[in-house]
Amino acid sequence: MNVFSAPVRTGGKAQYHPRLMPALLTVSHASGIFSLRRIGQVTCRDIGICFVAANLHPDHDTIAAFRRTNRQAVKPYFNMPRPAARDMFCHDLSAMEWNRGMTHNSAKADPAPLGLMGFGMTTVLLNLHNAHLVPMGGAILAMGLVFGGATQFVAGLLEYANGNTFGMTAFMSYGAFWLSLVVLLFLPQWGLAPASPPALMGGYLLMWGLFTAIMTIGTLRASRMHQVVFTSLTVLFVLLGAAEILEQPVLTLVAGYEGMFCGFSAIYLAAVELLAGQVGHAVAPVDAPTMPIEVPA
């Protein structure tokens, strides 16, 4: 790494550390991303590359300037096989596995916006009912069955194909939640099972709260918006479970408004990821701003 250098500047913004650039170039190369403009884009979208880049987002001009300054030094990194590139920069990241965890494979379509939209829109619609703003009706059940349930489950299958363990687990699990919730409401109507007493329904919701709390821990390496979505969802399940067990309708009312916040947060995150994929750069923030690393002159 000592062979890399950054041009000395006397003014302007703080420079990126020269160690950042070879790591970013090599990991991007190992992902099959060779365009400098594309590399600049995925630092805002690919969680694995964001992690390697320390959540910094150099643009393609900055990356190109680094390559020009260190043309000879970067040659070995672009000539090495992809497995060697992965091993070089990922062997010390004990909590991160290449193309696993929450890392999206940029060579394929990203199913995350689809899953997040399915989750977010269905969550908002149901919690309009919990907040006593609309009555329970077929629109809520249909949305839960088709978009929140089946479509989100399919998004989880697509994340499996992308090697994204976290995305697969989240979308398939919450898709199954919406499907099970609709079935839970219909079983008594069909005469196949008695209605669940409040204590049992509360336990059902609290178990989903426990699962979501575990998933929330997994978002600590993701963006702030991922953390907001999963943290608010954990609170939602706890409020709904407590409302059932304690038989306190006011908690359901509070959960309704909190759940709408959770749902709209997921919709926002889905919109940002979808539009970033279309226009090629982040269109709205999903994380707290991070200052570049200072490089002593």
Side-chain angles (χ1 to χ4, degrees):
M1 287 296 184
N2 294 330
V3 300
F4 296 101
S5 62
V8 177
R9 295 189 300 180
T10 57
K13 294 182 179 179
Q15 292 175 280
Y16 294 103
H17 198 285
R19 291 177 182 268
L20 169 70
M21 294 302 184
L24 177 59
L25 288 169
T26 305
V27 173
S28 299
H29 166 70
S31 300
I33 305 170
F34 302 96
S35 164
L36 298 186
R37 188 176 297 274
R38 177 75 173 143
I39 292 172
Q41 293 168 1
V42 296
T43 60
C44 301
R45 295 161 46 194
D46 188 301
I47 294 175
I49 292 179
C50 286
F51 183 85
V52 172
N55 204 29
L56 300 175
H57 311 291
D59 58 26
H60 73 283
D61 288 332
T62 304
I63 301 170
F66 174 83
R67 282 189 60 180
R68 285 194 301 269
T69 305
N70 299 275
R71 186 176 301 275
Q72 295 302 318
V74 298
K75 276 186 178 180
Y77 297 92
F78 281 88
N79 290 332
M80 68 172 60
R82 289 188 186 183
R86 292 198 292 266
D87 294 342
M88 181 171 185
F89 286 101
C90 295
H91 72 279
D92 288 331
L93 305 180
S94 58
M96 170 186 163
E97 295 176 280
W98 187 259
N99 264 347
R100 298 186 64 187
M102 284 180 286
T103 305
H104 168 59
N105 184 346
S106 300
K108 299 180 181 180
D110 186 1
L114 174 65
L116 286 167
M117 278 293 185
F119 167 79
M121 291 172 61
T122 311
T123 299
V124 169
L125 199 59
L126 176 61
N127 283 286
L128 287 172
H129 166 69
N130 288 336
H132 301 166
L133 298 177
V134 298
M136 176 62 76
I140 296 175
L141 296 176
M143 181 77 95
L145 183 64
V146 178
F147 200 25
T151 303
Q152 197 177 177
F153 195 88
V154 170
L157 293 175
L158 296 174
E159 290 286 23
Y160 171 81
N162 281 341
N164 186 342
T165 304
F166 185 93
M168 177 201 70
T169 305
F171 291 138
M172 292 185 72
S173 296
Y174 293 119
F177 163 75
W178 284 110
L179 292 171
S180 69
L181 183 62
V182 173
V183 171
L184 193 62
L185 295 175
F186 273 108
L187 284 178
Q189 304 297 324
W190 294 335
L192 299 177
S196 299
L200 180 58
M201 194 66 184
Y204 167 84
L205 293 166
L206 289 178
M207 288 304 296
W208 279 105
L210 174 62
F211 169 77
T212 307
I214 295 171
M215 297 296 287
T216 302
I217 297 173
T219 65
L220 296 179
R221 291 186 178 273
S223 71
R224 291 290 183 270
M225 279 309 304
H226 284 88
Q227 296 168 20
V228 167
V229 170
F230 280 88
T231 301
S232 59
L233 182 58
T234 302
V235 174
L236 175 60
F237 278 125
V238 171
L239 285 173
L240 290 173
E244 291 289 336
I245 293 173
L246 301 176
E247 299 186 29
Q248 293 293 326
V250 67
L251 290 178
T252 303
L253 179 65
V254 173
Y257 287 97
E258 199 275 343
M260 283 190 283
F261 169 79
C262 174
F264 280 121
S265 299
I267 292 172
Y268 171 83
L269 181 57
V272 170
E273 293 191 5
L274 178 65
L275 296 176
Q278 285 297 104
V279 303
H281 59 80
V283 296
V286 296
D287 216 336
T290 305
M291 295 300 293
I293 302 172
E294 293 278 1
V295 180

